Amino acid sequence: MDLPLEIERKFLVALPEESDLRKHAVRCIAITQTYLLGTQEGASKRIRRSEEQGTVTYTSTEKTRIDMLQRIEIERELSEEEYRELQKQADPERRVIQKTRWCVPVGDLVAEIDVFEGFTQYAYCEVELPSP
């Protein structure tokens, strides 16, 4: 059985102009992300509420680091009820994240540019790769 691997690179970038993001992005997703308690070292658990063009989805994601380049990523869709129940397990040491994800094609890949609520200078850019 193949493990569901995530191979991505993250970059801290200067905050792009929203007009440029609107011009180049093929998707725009509003995300609320909550990290959960009970995470072992080298792993993370989170839940997300994502809204895109009026459609809301809920997901749970667990990531476990394999090495410096790869993580096992197990993601499943949640019902709103499951999402609300898991919110009770929020890690009080980590704040809930509000961000807008702009998906911009770059050749055969997609750059996901995350603009965080309250950040005025920087954004994160993530690119998932097909191999290390």
Side-chain angles (χ1 to χ4, degrees):
M1 178 176 116
D2 288 332
L3 294 173
L5 292 182
E6 174 188 65
I7 304 163
E8 76 178 0
R9 297 295 166 270
K10 295 182 183 187
F11 305 91
L12 184 64
V13 298
L15 184 65
E17 293 291 330
E18 188 170 324
S19 59
D20 288 335
L21 292 169
R22 287 190 186 283
K23 182 167 55 171
H24 297 289
V26 295
R27 297 176 67 196
C28 177
I29 308 161
I31 297 172
T32 301
Q33 182 168 294
T34 305
Y35 287 93
L36 304 178
L37 290 168
T39 306
Q40 299 172 336
E41 187 160 336
S44 68
K45 288 189 216 179
R46 69 168 188 235
I47 54 173
R48 278 187 175 165
R49 178 191 186 278
S50 302
E51 185 171 350
E52 182 177 8
Q53 296 182 340
T55 300
V56 176
T57 57
Y58 302 94
T59 54
S60 168
T61 305
E62 293 187 38
K63 296 183 181 189
T64 305
R65 182 163 301 288
I66 296 174
D67 57 36
M68 293 303 294
L69 300 174
Q70 303 176 92
R71 293 186 286 190
I72 298 169
E73 180 181 52
I74 300 171
E75 190 169 83
R76 70 179 182 92
E77 195 163 323
L78 301 171
S79 68
E80 183 176 359
E81 184 178 316
E82 289 173 302
Y83 174 80
R84 300 266 180 240
E85 194 60 34
L86 285 169
Q87 280 182 309
K88 296 174 186 175
Q89 298 175 32
D91 185 341
E93 306 268 322
R94 301 180 78 176
R95 68 183 199 97
V96 174
I97 297 170
Q98 302 285 339
K99 62 185 177 181
T100 302
R101 172 164 288 168
W102 300 87
C103 301
V104 178
V106 180
D108 293 338
L109 303 174
V110 175
E112 296 177 334
I113 301 168
D114 289 343
V115 177
F116 294 85
E117 191 175 275
F119 280 35
T120 58
Q121 290 185 288
Y122 300 104
Y124 276 118
C125 177
E126 300 178 4
V127 180
E128 290 210 21
L129 303 171
S131 68

